[in-house]
Amino acid sequence: MKAIRRFTVRAVIPERLAPLAELAANLRWSWHEPTQRLFAEIEPLVWRDTDHDPISGLGMVTPERLDELAADEGFVARAQALRDDLRAYIAEPRWYQGIEEQKPTSIAYFSPEFGIASALPQYSGGLGILAGDHLKSASDLGVPLVGVGLLYRSGYFAQSLTSDGWQQETYPVQDPDGLPLTVLREPDGTAVTVTLALSEDRTLNARVWIAQVGRVPLLLLDTDIPENADGLRFVTDRLYGGSGEHRLLQELLLGIGGVRAIKRWAELNDQPAPQVFHTNEGHAGFLGLERISDLIGIGLSFDEAVQVVRAGTVFTTHTPVPAGIDRFDRSLIESYFTGDLLPGVATSDVLALGDEQANGGSGDVFNMAMMGLRLAQRANGVSVLHGAVSREMFKGLWPGFDVSDVPITSVTNGVHAPTWTDAMVAALAEGTLGTTDTSAADWSSPSLTDDALWSLRRDMREQLVQDVRRRVSSRLRSETPTAVVPGWIDDLLDPDVLTIGFARRVPTYKRLTLMLRDPERLRRLLLDEERPVQIVIAGKSHPADDEGKRLIQQLVQFSQDPQLRTRIVFLPDYGIAMAKNLYPGCDVWLNNPLRPLEACGTSGMKAALNGALNLSILDGWWDEFFDGENGWAIPTADNATSDDERDDLEAAALYEMIEHQLAPRFYERNEAGLPERWMRMVRHTITTLSPALSADRMVREYVERMYLPAGAMETTLTASNNQGARDLAVYKARVRQAWPGVVVAHVESGGVDEVPQVGDVLRLRAYVQLGELSPEDVAVEVVSGVSEPGGELTQVRTEALEWQQSSRTGSPDDSLEYTGSIVLDRAGGFGYTVRVVPRHPHLIGPAELGLIAVAEG
C-alpha cells in the first residue's frame, strides 16, 4: 500500500541542545569539520548512513539519546561554542570588507542548480557543484552574495543498474520540510509568492524557500503549491526534465521570478537591492529582461534600460559547443512574451536579443547564450582554453574583429578546499604545518616527512576501499534482501594497489569507455602480478542519452568478469557523499575527453587538493596547469583521419603511460619502502596546485575583475536619475546610424629602409572619413603583428594614432589626418593595418558595439 501523502516530522530537541538546531539550519556544517565531528558524535552510524545529513540524522536519534546528550555538560558546551563560532563567522568582517575601493553592497548569483551538500540534492553535475562552491567561498570571503535557483521536488535522478548494467532512473520526491530550508514570509506570516503572468490567461506562482549557506542566503523557487493549476505545479518537478516548453517555463521562472524574489527578500530583510547580477550559464538569462521592464517602469526607454542592465551584469558560459546551449523555437518565445509577462518590453526587442543569425545560426531559434552575451557587458569562459574556444564560437556577434578582440575573457574555475579536502589532510596540516587552511599550508616544509605524507595517502586509499565495499554490499542486499553477500566483496580493491579514479557525467565526448578500447591490454594492467592497477568509476548519463547509457553498460559488463571484479568497479548514483571519499582515495585521477570539449572540469582539481596526480588530456583546466611534475598529459591525436583512429591512438597512449610511467613510479620503493619519485610529485602537486585551484582564488578573481568594475559602471550610469545610461544610449544610436559613413580612405608609411631592421621606426599617416561623427566619437588605431602566409595578423598589438587637428579643413574628400609610429622590435614577418572603432568612456573595449572600419589592402 502507498501513502496518499508523505511529510517529514522533525525531532523535538531538548532546550539545552537548542544550538544543534541552529547549527543544522545553516549549511556551513557541510564544510566546517568541527561541526561535522559534533554531529557524528551523536550517532556515528546514523551520521554515516544519512550521508552526513544532520537534519535527517537528528530525526532518527532516539529521545533517550537526546536526553543523554542534554545531560552531558561537555557535549552541551561544545555545541554552544560551535553555535557562537557560527554567529561570529556570520557577523565578523572578512576579506571583502577590507576592500577599500567602492564596492557593490549586494551581488546576485543565478544558477539552475546548486550542489552544496547531499542533504540538499539540487544538482546534476559540475555546473551545480561549481555554483555551490562559489557560494561557499563567497561566504568565507565575506562577499555579499545572494544565490537564486529553483527547488526541484525530485532533484536530478537516482541511478541504479539492471543486472546487465543498463542505467535506470528514479525520482525520489523531496519534502522541503525535511531539508535545511525555511520559507520566506510576509510580515503577517504568510508565505511570499512570486507570480508570473503567462500566455492564455495562465498564472505561474512560486513559493520562495531559503537555504542559508554560511553568510549567503540561497533563494529557491518552488511551484508545487496549491495556488497553481495542476499543470503548472510541476514546473519545478525535475532538474533538466520535460519538454522544450517545460524547460522554458523553468528558465522564465528562474530569471524573471528570481529577480522578483530577490526584490521581495531584500525589502523584507532591509537589505540593499543587488547592483551586480551574475548569470551562471544562459539558463537564467531572462533576469535581464525583468530588470529592463522595471527600469522602463520608472521612465527609461528600452535602449536606456539595456545600458543599465548590461553595466551590472556578468555572464559566464560553460559550454564549448553550440549543441550545449539552450535554444527555443522563436514562435514559442513569441507566444510567451506577447502579453503581460514583462510590462513595457516589446516582443520584437526580446526576439532580437536571442537572435542567433549573426553567429551563423537559424532565424527560427531563440538562443539563450546570445541573449546572455548581449545583456552582459562582461563575459567569461571557465578556463584559459575555454575562453579562447568561446571567443571563436561566438565571434559572429562581433563581425570584422579578430578573434582576440572578442570581449569574452576567462576566469578558471576553482573548488572549495574545506569541502573537498579530506579531514585527514586537514588534520595532518594542523598537526605538522600549524594550520587547517590546506590551500595556504607550506606542504614543501621539511617538517612534513615523506613517510607521513605516504601514510596519509595510504589511509585515504584504505578509506575509499572500505567505502566501496560498503556501497557494493549495500546495493547487493537491496537488490536481493535474502541473499548472502558474496565473499569476493572482502577482496574488492586493495589499499596497497595503484588506484585510478574516473567519475563524471557520461556524455559521449567524455569517453567513459576509452579505457576499454583494447580490453585485453586493460586486463593485463589490472591483473599484473608485480604492478597491478585498480580503477574506481562512477557517473550518470542523462535519462534521454541512450548512447551514454550504452557506454555505462559496456563498462559494467566488463567489470563483472569474475577475474576482474575485484580490480575494477562501477559505483552507481555518483554524488557528493560518494565523491568525498573517491577523490582523496585515488592515487591518479583520469580524464580523457575529446579536446577541446571540456570547458574546465573540476573533479581532477578536487583530487589534486588531496595529493592525487592527474592523468589527463590537455583540456580544460589541465591545459593551463600541467607542468610535467603534477601528473601526466595524454597526447592528443589531432591529425587522426577519423574518430576511431583518434580513439585508438589516444587509448594506446593511455595504456603506455600507465604501464611504463605511472605503475613503475608508484611501485619503485627505497629501503624504507617509500616511492621517492612518486612522493616528490605528490608533494609538488599539493604545494603548487592547492592555492591555484581554490575557489577562494576564483571568487577573488570574479570580485576584482568582474564584480567591482561592473558595480562601478552601474553606479556611474544610474547616477543623476540614470543620466549616464541615457547619454550612452544616445551615443550608441548615433554611432550605429552614422557608421556606414566611416572609412579609412588612405594610409601612407615611411621612415624605414628598403630592407627594414629591428629598431627601425615605421611612421604612419592615415586619412579617415568620419561622415557625421566627430573625432571624439572614435579611436583610430594601428594594429600590427606577425604576418602569417595568408595575410592574417597574429600576436597583435594596438596603438592609437593621433588626430592632427590642423587637417580638419581643406581636405578635398573631407578626410581627417591621423599620425603615429611603430617601433620594429622583433625580426620576422611583419604586417599592419589601420582601423577605426567607437570610443566612449563607458565602453570597456573596442569591440563592444561590434562596429569597425578597416583600411583596404
Side-chain angles (χ1 to χ4, degrees):
M1 233 181 291
K2 290 188 176 180
I4 61 171
R5 185 178 174 220
R6 300 194 309 169
F7 51 86
T8 300
V9 180
R10 294 204 179 190
V12 177
I13 306 295
E15 182 62 30
R16 281 171 56 81
L17 297 181
L20 292 180
E22 189 171 335
L23 291 168
N26 190 308
L27 284 158
R28 188 206 184 200
W29 57 257
S30 68
W31 72 90
H32 190 243
E33 205 268 333
T35 304
Q36 293 177 14
R37 285 202 306 267
L38 183 79
F39 282 121
E41 186 179 338
I42 295 172
E43 284 287 4
L45 291 180
V46 168
W47 177 248
R48 185 197 71 183
D49 292 342
T50 58
D51 283 336
H52 301 175
D53 177 357
I55 290 181
S56 296
L58 287 172
M60 298 171 66
V61 178
T62 65
E64 292 77 12
R65 175 57 176 160
L66 291 174
D67 289 339
E68 179 184 344
L69 291 170
D72 184 336
E73 296 295 340
F75 183 87
V76 170
R78 290 195 296 278
Q80 291 174 341
L82 287 169
R83 186 269 318 275
D84 294 343
D85 177 76
L86 173 62
R87 290 177 177 178
Y89 168 86
I90 292 171
E92 67 189 10
R94 303 186 77 81
W95 171 80
Y96 188 84
Q97 286 66 46
I99 297 175
E100 295 183 357
E101 63 187 281
Q102 181 184 8
K103 52 186 179 285
T105 54
S106 179
I107 301 159
Y109 182 89
F110 282 65
S111 178
E113 51 176 304
F114 288 90
I116 298 166
S118 295
L120 192 62
Q122 301 292 309
Y123 63 95
S124 69
L127 180 71
I129 299 297
L130 170 77
D133 283 6
H134 196 110
L135 264 55
K136 292 173 184 177
S137 277
S139 174
D140 290 342
L141 295 170
V143 181
L145 218 63
V146 182
V148 183
L150 302 180
L151 180 67
Y152 305 98
R153 287 302 179 100
S154 296
Y156 191 43
F157 67 86
Q159 178 196 47
S160 59
L161 301 173
T162 63
S163 58
D164 66 348
W166 189 256
Q167 172 179 294
Q168 292 185 313
E169 303 91 25
T170 56
Y171 294 87
V173 176
Q174 305 293 324
D175 177 11
D177 289 321
L179 302 174
L181 302 170
T182 57
V183 176
L184 179 63
R185 298 192 179 277
E186 299 286 359
D188 64 1
T190 60
V192 168
T193 302
V194 171
T195 301
L196 276 68
L198 305 178
S199 53
E200 301 173 354
D201 297 323
R202 295 181 301 158
T203 299
L204 178 64
N205 302 284
R207 183 171 297 166
V208 182
W209 296 86
I210 304 175
Q212 196 64 38
V213 187
R215 300 165 68 110
V216 174
L218 170 59
L219 312 184
L220 299 172
L221 280 65
D222 171 22
T223 62
D224 189 10
I225 57 176
E227 291 86 342
N228 280 324
D230 287 347
L232 294 177
R233 290 189 69 159
F234 302 108
V235 167
T236 55
D237 57 350
R238 299 176 182 178
L239 177 58
Y240 304 142
S243 64
E245 185 169 10
H246 187 88
R247 184 79 164 262
L248 175 60
L249 283 168
Q250 290 186 341
E251 299 192 4
L252 291 171
L253 178 62
L254 176 59
I256 298 172
V259 173
R260 295 176 184 178
I262 279 191
K263 284 189 291 187
R264 191 64 188 129
W265 171 84
E267 292 166 355
L268 290 169
N269 290 277
D270 195 27
Q271 294 293 318
Q275 292 175 269
V276 174
F277 288 75
H278 185 171
T279 306
N280 191 36
E281 248 316 335
H283 311 280
F286 292 119
L287 71 85
L289 295 177
E290 168 66 10
R291 295 173 60 209
I292 288 170
S293 177
D294 280 349
L295 291 164
I296 291 173
I298 62 171
L300 272 65
S301 69
F302 177 83
D303 288 341
E304 292 165 348
V306 166
Q307 310 315 316
V308 175
V309 169
R310 275 179 51 80
T313 301
V314 175
F315 173 67
T316 298
T317 175
H318 289 262
T319 179
V321 290
I325 297 169
D326 276 352
R327 301 160 77 236
F328 299 102
D329 288 343
R330 180 184 173 95
S331 59
L332 181 63
I333 297 292
E334 192 170 12
S335 70
Y336 273 93
F337 284 92
T338 305
D340 299 325
L341 180 60
L342 288 176
V345 178
T347 306
S348 58
D349 288 331
V350 174
L351 294 173
L353 289 170
D355 192 310
E356 66 176 20
Q357 293 178 87
N359 206 48
S362 168
D364 298 326
V365 167
F366 184 92
N367 187 303
M368 295 296 288
M370 299 296 141
M371 179 173 66
L373 290 166
R374 288 181 173 123
L375 287 180
Q377 193 173 38
R378 289 167 174 81
N380 69 281
V382 291
S383 69
V384 171
L385 178 60
H386 180 237
V389 170
S390 298
R391 287 189 288 276
E392 181 68 34
M393 186 165 68
F394 294 114
K395 65 182 180 181
L397 292 181
W398 295 273
F401 284 92
D402 290 336
V403 173
S404 59
D405 283 317
V406 170
I408 301 176
T409 184
S410 61
V411 177
T412 301
N413 286 343
V415 296
H416 186 243
T419 294
W420 299 109
T421 305
D422 193 90
M424 287 187 278
V425 178
L428 180 64
E430 182 177 21
T432 306
L433 304 175
T435 178
T436 57
D437 184 354
T438 58
S439 63
D442 180 12
W443 292 99
S444 63
S445 170
S447 62
L448 176 63
T449 65
D450 278 356
D451 184 62
L453 197 52
W454 177 243
S455 295
L456 169 71
R457 294 291 313 145
R458 205 273 181 191
D459 289 345
M460 291 192 293
R461 205 180 306 118
E462 171 73 35
Q463 176 179 259
L464 171 62
V465 168
Q466 296 304 323
D467 187 58
V468 170
R469 291 175 181 174
R470 179 179 64 83
R471 289 179 182 277
V472 173
S473 297
S474 177
R475 176 167 58 86
L476 293 176
R477 281 195 298 268
S478 66
E479 291 172 353
T480 313
T482 59
V484 177
V485 175
W488 63 265
I489 297 295
D490 293 335
D491 297 320
L492 177 57
L493 305 183
D494 184 330
D496 293 309
V497 166
L498 172 60
T499 304
I500 298 176
F502 183 104
R504 50 190 41 87
R505 289 184 306 109
V506 190
T508 52
Y509 79 86
K510 291 182 183 282
R511 298 192 295 182
L512 171 70
T513 56
L514 186 68
M515 65 181 76
L516 295 184
R517 202 71 187 171
D518 185 343
E520 287 308 311
R521 185 149 189 199
L522 178 59
R523 175 187 293 269
R524 291 198 301 272
L525 290 172
L526 295 171
L527 300 178
D528 189 292
E529 292 185 1
E530 295 184 1
R531 295 170 174 171
V533 173
Q534 58 193 14
I535 307 177
V536 184
I537 306 158
K540 293 180 177 180
S541 178
H542 187 280
D545 184 5
D546 282 350
E547 183 56 35
K549 293 180 184 180
R550 274 190 284 273
L551 298 180
I552 292 174
Q553 185 179 45
Q554 291 172 25
L555 199 140
V556 170
Q557 291 179 347
F558 178 82
S559 70
Q560 289 173 339
D561 184 322
Q563 286 187 303
L564 301 175
R565 62 191 177 193
T566 60
R567 282 285 181 263
I568 182 169
V569 59
F570 183 92
L571 300 176
D573 214 24
Y574 177 46
I576 288 176
M578 180 190 297
K580 285 196 168 186
N581 285 329
L582 181 54
Y583 299 138
C586 291
D587 300 292
V588 175
W589 197 257
L590 174 62
N591 187 31
N592 46 230
L594 282 168
R595 188 180 194 270
L597 301 185
E598 183 84 274
C600 181
T602 58
S603 58
M605 293 181 172
K606 298 168 190 132
L609 294 186
N610 292 281
L613 308 180
N614 275 265
L615 170 62
S616 177
I617 295 286
L618 284 173
D619 201 6
W621 74 277
W622 192 234
D623 184 67
E624 65 194 87
F625 282 104
F626 169 65
D627 65 7
E629 289 296 321
N630 51 19
W632 295 267
I634 303 170
T636 51
D638 295 330
N639 296 322
T641 57
S642 68
D643 290 343
D644 278 343
E645 182 185 11
R646 179 172 181 159
D647 286 352
D648 284 340
L649 291 171
E650 294 182 4
L654 171 63
Y655 299 135
E656 285 291 315
M657 298 181 88
I658 294 174
E659 182 175 0
H660 298 296
Q661 298 185 46
L662 278 70
R665 191 161 297 190
F666 181 84
Y667 286 107
E668 286 175 1
R669 309 291 166 88
N670 63 14
E671 299 81 2
L674 296 176
E676 288 182 329
R677 289 201 301 162
W678 187 274
M679 293 313 299
R680 281 200 298 270
M681 295 180 73
V682 169
R683 190 185 291 267
H684 174 77
T685 292
I686 202 168
T687 298
T688 60
L689 291 184
S690 289
L693 302 182
S694 166
D696 283 3
R697 184 272 309 156
M698 174 188 73
V699 172
R700 285 191 180 100
E701 275 198 61
Y702 274 113
V703 168
E704 294 166 351
R705 295 175 50 204
M706 306 298 236
Y707 299 162
L708 294 183
M713 185 67 77
E714 193 269 351
T715 298
T716 297
L717 295 191
T718 57
S720 303
N721 192 27
N722 299 291
Q723 190 59 48
R726 299 177 197 275
D727 293 344
L728 183 56
V730 169
Y731 167 81
K732 287 185 175 182
R734 179 167 58 82
V735 169
R736 286 192 175 105
Q737 182 176 8
W739 201 256
V742 177
V743 177
V744 180
H746 181 60
V747 179
E748 297 175 354
S749 64
V752 297
D753 296 331
E754 187 173 331
V755 179
Q757 296 183 14
V758 172
D760 286 352
V761 177
L762 178 67
R763 295 184 177 86
L764 298 172
R765 180 180 289 109
Y767 295 93
V768 178
Q769 298 171 7
L770 296 182
E772 298 178 4
L773 299 180
S774 71
E776 290 76 20
D777 293 327
V778 302
V780 179
E781 301 168 336
V782 56
V783 181
S784 63
V786 176
S787 179
E788 299 295 339
E792 291 296 317
L793 294 176
T794 60
Q795 302 178 42
V796 299
R797 62 184 181 189
T798 303
E799 299 178 48
L801 298 179
E802 293 187 4
W803 169 44
Q804 303 303 307
Q805 298 190 36
S806 60
S807 70
R808 185 174 180 88
T809 58
S811 175
D813 60 359
D814 201 29
S815 293
L816 303 182
E817 180 183 338
Y818 287 79
T819 63
S821 61
I822 307 171
V823 177
L824 305 182
D825 58 0
R826 56 191 172 192
F830 176 82
Y832 71 90
T833 188
V834 172
R835 73 180 186 183
V836 185
V837 293
R839 178 176 62 185
H840 190 279
H842 300 332
L843 301 180
I844 64 171
E848 188 168 336
L849 269 66
L851 300 174
I852 187 171
V854 183
E856 298 292 334

Coordinates of all heavy atoms in Angstrom, one line a residue, residues 252-290:
L252 N 12.1 30.9 -17.4 CA 11.3 32.1 -17.2 C 11.2 32.3 -15.7 O 11.4 33.4 -15.2 CB 10.0 32.0 -17.8 CG 9.9 32.1 -19.3 CD1 8.5 31.8 -19.8 CD2 10.4 33.4 -19.9
L253 N 10.9 31.3 -15.0 CA 10.7 31.4 -13.5 C 12.1 31.7 -12.8 O 12.1 32.6 -12.0 CB 10.2 30.1 -12.9 CG 10.0 30.0 -11.4 CD1 9.0 31.1 -10.9 CD2 9.6 28.6 -10.9
L254 N 13.1 31.1 -13.3 CA 14.5 31.3 -12.7 C 14.9 32.8 -12.9 O 15.3 33.5 -12.0 CB 15.5 30.4 -13.3 CG 17.0 30.6 -12.8 CD1 17.1 30.5 -11.3 CD2 17.9 29.6 -13.5
G255 N 14.8 33.3 -14.1 CA 15.2 34.6 -14.4 C 14.3 35.7 -14.0 O 14.7 36.5 -13.1
I256 N 13.1 35.7 -14.4 CA 12.1 36.7 -14.1 C 11.6 36.6 -12.6 O 11.7 37.5 -11.9 CB 10.9 36.7 -15.1 CG1 11.4 36.9 -16.5 CG2 9.8 37.7 -14.6 CD1 10.3 36.7 -17.5
G257 N 11.2 35.3 -12.3 CA 10.8 35.1 -10.9 C 11.9 35.3 -9.9 O 11.7 35.8 -8.8
G258 N 13.1 34.9 -10.3 CA 14.3 35.1 -9.4 C 14.5 36.5 -9.0 O 14.8 36.9 -7.9
V259 N 14.4 37.4 -10.0 CA 14.6 38.9 -9.7 C 13.5 39.4 -8.8 O 13.8 40.1 -7.9 CB 14.7 39.7 -11.0 CG1 14.7 41.2 -10.7 CG2 15.9 39.3 -11.9
R260 N 12.3 38.9 -9.0 CA 11.2 39.4 -8.2 C 11.3 38.8 -6.8 O 11.0 39.5 -5.8 CB 9.9 38.9 -8.8 CG 9.6 39.6 -10.1 CD 8.4 39.1 -10.9 NE 8.2 39.7 -12.2 CZ 7.3 39.5 -13.1 NH1 6.3 38.6 -12.8 NH2 7.3 40.1 -14.2
A261 N 11.9 37.6 -6.7 CA 12.1 37.0 -5.3 C 13.1 37.8 -4.6 O 13.0 38.1 -3.4 CB 12.5 35.6 -5.5
I262 N 14.2 38.2 -5.2 CA 15.3 38.9 -4.6 C 14.8 40.3 -4.1 O 15.1 40.7 -3.0 CB 16.5 39.1 -5.5 CG1 17.4 37.9 -5.5 CG2 17.3 40.3 -5.1 CD1 18.7 38.0 -6.2
K263 N 14.0 40.9 -4.9 CA 13.5 42.2 -4.5 C 12.6 42.1 -3.3 O 12.8 42.9 -2.3 CB 12.6 42.8 -5.7 CG 13.4 43.4 -6.8 CD 12.5 44.1 -7.8 CE 11.6 43.2 -8.6 NZ 10.9 43.9 -9.6
R264 N 11.8 41.1 -3.2 CA 10.9 41.0 -2.0 C 11.8 40.6 -0.8 O 11.5 41.0 0.3 CB 9.8 40.0 -2.3 CG 8.8 39.9 -1.2 CD 8.0 41.3 -1.1 NE 7.1 41.4 0.0 CZ 7.1 42.4 0.9 NH1 8.0 43.4 0.7 NH2 6.3 42.5 1.9
W265 N 12.7 39.7 -1.0 CA 13.6 39.3 0.1 C 14.4 40.5 0.6 O 14.5 40.6 1.9 CB 14.6 38.2 -0.4 CG 15.7 37.9 0.6 CD1 15.6 37.0 1.6 CD2 17.0 38.5 0.6 NE1 16.8 37.1 2.3 CE2 17.7 38.0 1.8 CE3 17.7 39.5 -0.1 CZ2 19.0 38.3 2.1 CZ3 19.0 39.8 0.2 CH2 19.6 39.3 1.3
A266 N 14.9 41.3 -0.2 CA 15.6 42.5 0.2 C 14.7 43.4 1.0 O 15.2 44.0 2.0 CB 16.2 43.2 -1.0
E267 N 13.5 43.6 0.5 CA 12.6 44.5 1.2 C 12.3 44.0 2.6 O 12.3 44.8 3.6 CB 11.3 44.7 0.4 CG 11.5 45.4 -0.9 CD 10.3 45.3 -1.8 OE1 9.4 44.5 -1.5 OE2 10.3 45.9 -2.9
L268 N 12.0 42.7 2.7 CA 11.6 42.1 4.0 C 12.7 42.1 5.0 O 12.5 42.1 6.2 CB 11.1 40.7 3.8 CG 9.7 40.6 3.0 CD1 9.4 39.2 2.6 CD2 8.6 41.2 3.9
N269 N 14.0 42.0 4.5 CA 15.1 41.9 5.4 C 15.9 43.2 5.5 O 17.0 43.2 6.0 CB 16.0 40.7 4.9 CG 15.4 39.4 5.1 OD1 15.5 38.8 6.2 ND2 14.8 38.9 4.1
D270 N 15.4 44.3 4.9 CA 16.0 45.6 5.0 C 17.4 45.5 4.4 O 18.4 46.0 5.0 CB 16.0 46.1 6.4 CG 16.4 47.6 6.4 OD1 16.1 48.3 5.4 OD2 16.9 48.1 7.5
Q271 N 17.6 44.8 3.3 CA 18.9 44.6 2.6 C 18.9 45.4 1.3 O 17.8 45.7 0.7 CB 19.1 43.2 2.3 CG 19.3 42.3 3.5 CD 20.5 42.6 4.3 OE1 21.6 42.8 3.7 NE2 20.4 42.7 5.6
P272 N 20.0 45.9 0.8 CA 20.1 46.6 -0.4 C 19.8 45.7 -1.6 O 20.1 44.5 -1.6 CB 21.6 47.1 -0.5 CG 22.3 46.1 0.4 CD 21.4 45.7 1.5
A273 N 19.2 46.3 -2.6 CA 19.0 45.5 -3.9 C 20.3 45.3 -4.6 O 21.3 46.1 -4.4 CB 18.1 46.3 -4.8
P274 N 20.5 44.2 -5.3 CA 21.8 43.9 -5.9 C 22.2 45.0 -6.9 O 21.3 45.4 -7.7 CB 21.5 42.5 -6.6 CG 20.4 41.9 -5.8 CD 19.5 43.1 -5.4
Q275 N 23.4 45.3 -7.0 CA 24.0 46.2 -8.0 C 24.5 45.4 -9.2 O 24.6 45.8 -10.3 CB 25.1 47.0 -7.4 CG 24.6 48.1 -6.5 CD 25.8 48.8 -5.9 OE1 26.4 48.4 -4.8 NE2 26.3 49.9 -6.5
V276 N 25.0 44.1 -8.9 CA 25.6 43.3 -9.9 C 24.8 42.0 -9.9 O 24.4 41.4 -8.9 CB 27.1 43.0 -9.6 CG1 27.7 42.0 -10.5 CG2 27.8 44.3 -9.6
F277 N 24.6 41.5 -11.2 CA 23.9 40.2 -11.4 C 24.8 39.3 -12.2 O 25.2 39.6 -13.3 CB 22.6 40.4 -12.1 CG 21.5 41.1 -11.3 CD1 21.5 42.4 -11.0 CD2 20.4 40.3 -10.8 CE1 20.5 43.0 -10.3 CE2 19.4 40.9 -10.1 CZ 19.4 42.3 -9.8
H278 N 25.1 38.1 -11.6 CA 26.0 37.2 -12.2 C 25.1 36.0 -12.7 O 24.5 35.3 -11.9 CB 27.0 36.7 -11.2 CG 28.1 35.8 -11.8 ND1 29.2 35.4 -11.1 CD2 28.2 35.2 -13.1 CE1 29.9 34.6 -11.9 NE2 29.3 34.5 -13.1
T279 N 25.1 35.8 -14.0 CA 24.4 34.7 -14.6 C 25.3 33.5 -14.9 O 26.2 33.6 -15.8 CB 23.7 35.1 -16.0 OG1 23.0 36.3 -15.7 CG2 22.8 34.1 -16.5
N280 N 25.1 32.4 -14.2 CA 25.9 31.2 -14.3 C 25.3 30.4 -15.4 O 24.4 29.6 -15.2 CB 26.0 30.5 -13.0 CG 27.0 29.4 -13.0 OD1 28.1 29.5 -13.6 ND2 26.7 28.2 -12.3
E281 N 25.8 30.5 -16.6 CA 25.2 29.9 -17.9 C 23.9 30.7 -18.3 O 23.4 31.5 -17.5 CB 24.9 28.5 -17.7 CG 25.8 27.5 -18.6 CD 26.1 28.0 -20.0 OE1 25.2 28.7 -20.6 OE2 27.1 27.6 -20.6
G282 N 23.5 30.4 -19.5 CA 22.4 31.1 -20.0 C 21.0 30.8 -19.5 O 20.0 31.5 -19.8
H283 N 20.9 29.8 -18.6 CA 19.6 29.4 -18.2 C 18.8 30.5 -17.5 O 17.6 30.5 -17.5 CB 19.7 28.2 -17.2 CG 20.5 27.1 -17.7 ND1 20.1 26.2 -18.6 CD2 21.8 26.8 -17.4 CE1 21.1 25.3 -18.9 NE2 22.1 25.7 -18.2
A284 N 19.5 31.4 -16.8 CA 18.8 32.5 -16.1 C 18.8 33.8 -16.8 O 18.5 34.9 -16.3 CB 19.5 32.7 -14.7
G285 N 19.0 33.8 -18.1 CA 19.2 35.0 -18.9 C 18.0 35.9 -18.9 O 18.2 37.1 -19.1
F286 N 16.8 35.4 -18.7 CA 15.6 36.3 -18.7 C 15.7 37.3 -17.5 O 14.8 38.2 -17.5 CB 14.4 35.4 -18.6 CG 14.1 34.6 -19.9 CD1 14.1 33.2 -19.8 CD2 14.0 35.3 -21.1 CE1 13.8 32.5 -21.0 CE2 13.7 34.5 -22.3 CZ 13.7 33.1 -22.2
L287 N 16.6 37.1 -16.6 CA 16.6 38.1 -15.5 C 16.9 39.5 -16.0 O 16.4 40.5 -15.5 CB 17.7 37.7 -14.4 CG 19.2 37.8 -14.8 CD1 19.8 39.2 -14.6 CD2 20.0 36.8 -14.0
G288 N 17.7 39.6 -17.1 CA 17.9 40.9 -17.7 C 16.7 41.5 -18.2 O 16.5 42.8 -18.1
L289 N 15.8 40.8 -18.8 CA 14.5 41.3 -19.3 C 13.6 41.8 -18.2 O 13.0 42.9 -18.3 CB 13.8 40.3 -20.1 CG 14.5 39.8 -21.4 CD1 13.7 38.7 -22.1 CD2 14.7 41.0 -22.3
E290 N 13.6 41.1 -17.0 CA 12.8 41.6 -15.9 C 13.4 42.9 -15.4 O 12.6 43.8 -15.0 CB 12.9 40.5 -14.8 CG 12.3 41.0 -13.4 CD 10.8 41.3 -13.4 OE1 10.1 41.0 -14.4 OE2 10.4 41.9 -12.4

